[in-house]
């Protein structure tokens, strides 16, 4: 329980920091710290139930702070968490470069999915069109910040009591019968 509340606090700090930074720089150059935290949780935290709860809470907080459709960011954060969990099991995402590349892909998928959801539920708004000139810089900024956020998140998970958090490796065991 201590880990859940600690990571919820880290999520609140990340969303507050993101909101503060977004007042000074254009949105396409502002890292999406909520998304980065969720991906980092998927990469290093072993508890799927705790991760889903923290991820949903961060997503709903993002919905409330951004003024978007309620549940839109929560759904996308849960999808990003699931992609990170699956990716951490099948890919070796321990280094900064693999994490950055993975986060760039997740950022692009998140932006396209948010665009599609917005255009589906608000067809006349025009907000659902993905501006590809804004997507590339945003994905690159998120990729640049991904290793740092993953490091901070891994340290927080370890400090809050997960004794072997962040130590997930690519499973190299054989799938066949061992004689």
């Amino acid at each position: 329980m201590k880990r859940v509340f600690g990571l919820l606090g880290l999520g609140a700090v990340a969303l507050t920091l993101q909101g503060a930074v977004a007042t000074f720089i254009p949105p396409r150059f502002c890292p999406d710290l909520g998304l980065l935290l969720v991906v980092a949780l998927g990469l290093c935290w072993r508890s799927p139930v705790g991760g889903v709860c923290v991820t949903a809470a961060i997503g709903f907080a993002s919905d409330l702070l951004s003024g978007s459709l309620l549940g839109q960011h929560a759904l996308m954060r849960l999808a990003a968490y699931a992609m990170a969990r699956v990716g951490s099991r099948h890919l070796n995402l321990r280094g900064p470069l693999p994490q950055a590349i993975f986060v760039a892909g997740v950022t692009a998928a998140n932006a396209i999915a948010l665009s599609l959801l917005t255009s589906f539920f608000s067809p006349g708004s025009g907000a659902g069109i993905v501006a590809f000139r804004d997507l590339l810089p945003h994905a690159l900024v998120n990729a640049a910040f991904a290793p740092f956020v993953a490091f901070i998140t891994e340290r927080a998970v370890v400090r809050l009591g997960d004794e072997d958090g962040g130590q997930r490796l690519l499973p190299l065991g054989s799938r066949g019968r061992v004689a």
Side-chain angles (χ1 to χ4, degrees):
M1 196 52 98
K2 180 174 97 171
R3 279 179 274 176
V4 170
F5 287 123
L7 291 170
L8 283 174
L10 184 63
V13 167
L15 293 176
T16 304
L17 183 63
Q18 177 183 341
V21 169
T23 61
F24 297 110
I25 60 174
R28 67 176 174 226
F29 297 117
C30 182
D32 189 351
L33 295 177
L35 178 66
L36 294 176
L37 179 64
V38 165
V39 170
L41 283 174
L43 294 177
C44 73
W45 199 11
R46 292 181 184 262
S47 170
V49 174
V52 167
C53 292
V54 170
T55 298
I58 291 171
F60 278 121
S62 296
D63 284 328
L64 293 174
L65 292 173
S66 70
S68 66
L69 298 169
L70 191 58
Q72 183 179 19
H73 281 97
L75 177 65
M76 293 298 104
R77 296 301 189 249
L78 286 170
Y81 177 76
M83 286 190 284
R85 291 277 301 179
V86 170
S88 70
R89 291 196 182 271
H90 297 290
L91 303 170
N92 189 358
L93 298 174
R94 290 183 54 107
L97 184 61
Q99 287 174 359
I101 292 169
F102 183 75
V103 164
V106 169
T107 300
N110 184 54
I112 291 168
L114 279 174
S115 168
L116 292 173
L117 268 174
T118 302
S119 65
F120 181 75
F121 287 110
S122 303
S125 69
I129 300 170
V130 175
F132 287 104
R133 64 180 174 86
D134 292 344
L135 179 61
L136 182 63
H138 189 65
L140 292 176
V141 167
N142 276 354
F145 279 87
F148 176 70
V149 173
F151 175 78
I152 296 294
T153 305
E154 181 181 339
R155 292 293 142 227
V157 168
V158 169
R159 186 165 185 101
L160 291 170
D162 192 4
E163 62 279 347
D164 52 295
Q167 298 300 318
R168 182 173 311 182
L169 294 173
L170 180 66
L172 297 176
S174 64
R175 292 183 186 234
R177 193 169 61 108
V178 178

